[in-house]
Amino acid sequence: MHVPDGFINAPVSATAGLISMGSLWVSTKASNKFLGDKFIAIAGMMSALIFVLQMINFPIGAGTSGHLLGGALAVIILGPSLGIICVSIVVIIQAFIFADGGLSALGINILNMSIVTGLIGWFVIDTWKKIFGDKNFSLILGSFVAGMISVVMSSVAFVVEYALGGTVSVAISSVFIAMVTSHFLIGIGEGVITAFILSLLLKVRSDLVFISINKEAKGKSVPLIGLLLFLSLGLLMIAPFASSSPDGLETIAQDFNFSNQKSIAMFLEDYSIPLISNSFISIILSGILGVSILVVFINLYLNLTRKKS
Amino acid sequence: MSGNHPPTNLNTESYLIDVAPAQKIVSVLVLSLSLAFNDIRNTFTFTMILFCIVCFVYLSIPSIKFLIRRMYVIIPFILFSLFLPFISKSGSVIYLYKNIAIYEDGVFEMSNILFKSVAGVSMAVALSSTTSQLEIIKGLGRLKFPKIFVSILSFALRYISVYISEFQRIRLSMRSRGFKNKGLSDSISLAYAGSAMLIRGFERGEKVYSSMISRGFDGNLFVTKRKWNQSKLLYFLCIVALITNIIGLFL
């Protein structure tokens, strides 16, 4: 999973670097209230543990082996801001001291392995907690799901970076299939490990687990960003399977010759954005736009109904 | 349970051993970024920056053997890149033997990944062979990294050795009971090992932290001071790389 130098071209690496620097800055600001608390020492231990767990490869069949990413685990135990910092520190140590993962690809590695896994893991476990309650058993199941989904989404994020700026001309679809299937298996392993570590910790030292101490979620922004990321990367997983042939109503309309009656030219016609020639990217962008418009409307609706009641 | 301190296999005879760690980190970043921003098709600028990197690496490492031994992490990527000329099918054919054709783009992609990944890894090895791990963190602190970041980093580095020795002990006992890492079903045992490690580490870390507090720990980890030099050669290499980069933009 550690991307070396020269695999992704320079503009995409630089953009990923800027994004990860910005989000690390935000999470540093958010976690400054823990400074001087014992959380700092625990965060250090957590990143050391994740580092050691990342060194262990478990075989997933067919000659490949995967290792833990640990984003979901760190986020569950330390909370979103400190957890993201923790895994980024692991990536930085690996790049600077152990020469694993390129220095110019540091931004990409941080983005894939800590920010995407952290945000999505936190979003999944947070919603899970809201839906199924915060009993120990439901938290453990939720951590399994969070670990699995976060790893798969991290591999999808790598495919996006590859599609935007890969220096190799291997077809995107084959990279996509190889990455996602292998990371699905790695994700199962990651989910099992996350769930077991969490179950033992909840049994022995439940006062250290952020998700079980923190009874009420304070910030809404982190789950929201996680939701957006989750939906956009999830759309990416579905996008290759979307059929370009017309759906039922459209076929009937073509058969009866009333499909050409255009009334208004819409902005996002046929789920594609003008000015962007690459169809893959434009479908995804329009998907993200549509989802964010939906989120805004749902929020507006919820606010209105709340005021009335 | 203490764990060994990280081994200090520094190359003490190197010219760069006394140079300030912050400067070394900055120059490594500058060199690797300028390599990443350069296209391999601009042969002149690419070789200039490669020359700078080779200078830096040559000044730091004790021997070529040491460098090659540390390079095992990128072996899969090197193998992958060696296959590229046969896989990618764009550009003109430069070599044809019966059914096997080698394309121009494939060769460029291969050499791109090969040069950039090898150069990146060797620079990281060079940095860590003249600068100890604590000094790298110190340098990051000098570069105005956030305090919380630097302190978590230093705790993490200290605890990695604790955890590694703990893990070796656990693995030995697992193996003596007949554990073999075969497949996904064994990740449960690994998970138990990991969580046992985590809990032991937590308790140890709390003890260490409270003892640090009682000795007057206020967030500053580094007490010992050492005099560092500024290397003019490193400045020169960085400036050459930057200028070459700017020239490369206009070529």
Side-chain angles (χ1 to χ4, degrees):
Chain A
M1 196 64 199
H2 293 81
V3 184
D5 285 311
F7 217 74
I8 305 282
N9 68 7
V12 176
S13 317
T15 322
L18 284 181
I19 293 172
S20 38
M21 262 166 74
S23 29
L24 279 185
W25 188 75
V26 170
S27 40
T28 313
K29 286 280 166 236
S31 60
N32 258 341
K33 61 185 171 202
F34 295 125
L35 195 66
D37 205 34
K38 70 177 183 187
F39 260 104
I40 291 291
I42 289 172
M45 276 179 286
M46 196 66 217
S47 23
L49 179 88
I50 289 173
F51 179 86
V52 174
L53 286 179
Q54 284 201 359
M55 295 198 311
I56 311 162
N57 284 352
F58 46 87
I60 54 168
T64 50
S65 66
H67 63 78
L68 195 87
L69 294 188
L73 181 68
V75 161
I76 288 167
I77 293 179
L78 295 168
S81 50
L82 216 52
I84 285 175
I85 293 179
C86 247
V87 188
S88 326
I89 280 172
V90 173
V91 179
I92 290 174
I93 291 178
Q94 281 165 340
F96 270 107
I97 298 169
F98 296 91
D100 192 2
L103 285 173
S104 64
L106 192 60
I108 286 176
N109 284 330
I110 289 178
L111 187 67
N112 285 348
M113 291 206 281
S114 82
I115 291 164
V116 170
T117 56
L119 283 178
I120 284 177
W122 179 253
F123 158 70
V124 171
I125 192 79
D126 199 56
T127 10
W128 191 279
K129 201 174 118 182
K130 270 176 199 155
I131 297 171
F132 296 103
D134 55 353
K135 292 248 170 55
N136 278 2
F137 183 68
S138 86
L139 281 186
I140 291 165
L141 268 184
S143 70
F144 173 77
V145 176
M148 203 176 104
I149 292 180
S150 66
V151 170
V152 175
M153 290 301 167
S154 148
S155 75
V156 177
F158 171 76
V159 176
V160 175
E161 283 143 16
Y162 180 82
L164 290 176
T167 54
V168 185
S169 57
V170 179
I172 295 171
S173 55
S174 55
V175 171
F176 179 84
I177 289 166
M179 284 296 284
V180 172
T181 45
S182 63
H183 279 80
F184 187 72
L185 291 173
I186 294 173
I188 292 174
E190 163 121 9
V192 169
I193 291 177
T194 311
F196 268 82
I197 289 181
L198 187 70
S199 73
L200 202 72
L201 261 183
L202 282 175
K203 252 184 241 163
V204 185
R205 293 292 306 267
S206 62
D207 58 318
L208 291 177
V209 183
F210 186 84
I211 189 92
S212 80
I213 309 168
N214 193 15
K215 292 289 178 196
E216 288 181 13
K218 286 166 204 159
K220 250 186 180 177
S221 60
V222 175
L224 205 68
I225 299 167
L227 173 70
L228 275 182
L229 211 64
F230 177 77
L231 283 174
S232 47
L233 292 178
L235 272 177
L236 271 180
M237 284 182 70
I238 305 166
F241 306 111
S243 166
S244 58
S245 43
D247 65 1
L249 180 61
E250 282 174 353
T251 12
I252 295 171
Q254 276 173 7
D255 289 348
F256 290 96
N257 280 329
F258 61 86
S259 68
N260 285 332
Q261 297 172 355
K262 275 184 190 167
S263 46
I264 315 161
M266 291 300 279
F267 174 56
L268 300 172
E269 196 168 315
D270 269 341
Y271 302 105
S272 59
I273 297 174
L275 304 176
I276 297 175
S277 54
N278 191 336
S279 64
F280 185 68
I281 295 169
S282 78
I283 285 179
I284 288 151
L285 275 180
S286 64
I288 293 171
L289 248 172
V291 168
S292 35
I293 290 170
L294 249 172
V295 168
V296 167
F297 273 111
I298 289 171
N299 258 334
L300 273 177
Y301 172 73
L302 284 179
N303 278 340
L304 283 176
T305 47
R306 203 175 293 154
K307 268 176 198 167
K308 273 177 193 168
S309 65
Chain B
M1 170 112 198
S2 61
N4 302 321
H5 280 271
T8 53
N9 42 7
L10 292 182
N11 177 20
T12 42
E13 288 161 18
S14 162
Y15 160 76
L16 294 171
I17 191 83
D18 283 330
V19 176
Q23 196 196 355
K24 276 186 274 191
I25 291 170
V26 169
S27 45
V28 162
L29 281 179
V30 165
L31 288 175
S32 64
L33 283 182
S34 46
L35 187 72
F37 271 89
N38 246 291
D39 192 4
I40 191 158
R41 284 165 211 254
N42 287 345
T43 323
F44 168 68
T45 53
F46 199 79
T47 37
M48 275 298 275
I49 289 172
L50 266 188
F51 177 72
C52 294
I53 289 171
V54 168
C55 282
F56 179 77
V57 173
Y58 179 75
L59 284 175
S60 334
I61 56 168
S63 62
I64 302 282
K65 216 171 155 187
F66 174 82
L67 181 68
I68 291 171
R69 218 174 41 224
R70 290 278 311 267
M71 241 184 233
Y72 62 94
V73 272
I74 56 161
I75 288 172
F77 289 97
I78 289 178
L79 288 180
F80 171 72
S81 74
L82 290 182
F83 275 111
L84 275 176
F86 307 104
I87 301 172
S88 69
K89 296 213 177 342
S90 60
S92 55
V93 179
I94 52 172
Y95 181 77
L96 189 64
Y97 176 74
K98 287 181 184 171
N99 281 332
I100 305 162
I102 292 180
Y103 292 85
E104 195 186 356
D105 283 12
V107 174
F108 273 120
E109 282 161 10
M110 178 192 79
S111 37
N112 185 30
I113 288 186
L114 216 57
F115 276 117
K116 287 185 178 173
S117 55
V118 169
V121 169
S122 42
M123 276 207 294
V125 171
L127 179 68
S128 62
S129 69
T130 57
T131 324
S132 75
Q133 302 179 349
L134 263 184
E135 283 164 3
I136 289 179
I137 297 174
K138 220 174 184 176
L140 290 179
R142 270 295 308 278
L143 292 174
K144 299 277 187 258
F145 263 61
K147 204 172 160 191
I148 188 167
F149 220 84
V150 175
S151 47
I152 293 179
L153 197 62
S154 47
F155 271 114
L157 265 188
R158 177 65 188 92
Y159 280 112
I160 281 174
S161 53
V162 173
Y163 275 127
I164 286 178
S165 66
E166 194 63 45
F167 179 69
Q168 277 166 350
R169 221 169 295 160
I170 288 176
R171 193 164 58 179
L172 194 69
S173 60
M174 277 163 88
R175 209 184 286 156
S176 67
R177 288 177 179 81
F179 172 77
K180 266 182 198 153
N181 197 351
K182 272 183 215 146
L184 269 179
S185 58
D186 291 326
S187 55
I188 293 172
S189 321
L190 277 181
Y192 273 131
S195 39
M197 240 157 56
L198 183 70
I199 287 168
R200 288 189 206 180
F202 268 160
E203 317 227 298
R204 165 123 189 110
E206 276 174 346
K207 270 182 217 159
V208 169
Y209 191 70
S210 51
S211 67
M212 280 166 84
I213 291 276
S214 65
R215 287 180 179 84
F217 172 67
D218 58 345
N220 288 321
L221 280 153
F222 311 108
V223 188
T224 50
K225 284 202 171 139
R226 187 174 157 188
K227 229 182 171 186
W228 297 107
N229 300 331
Q230 297 287 325
S231 160
K232 278 177 190 156
L233 186 69
L234 274 191
Y235 280 128
F236 177 71
L237 286 181
C238 287
I239 290 168
V240 168
L242 283 178
I243 290 173
T244 327
N245 236 340
I246 295 167
I247 293 170
L249 285 181
F250 294 108
L251 273 180

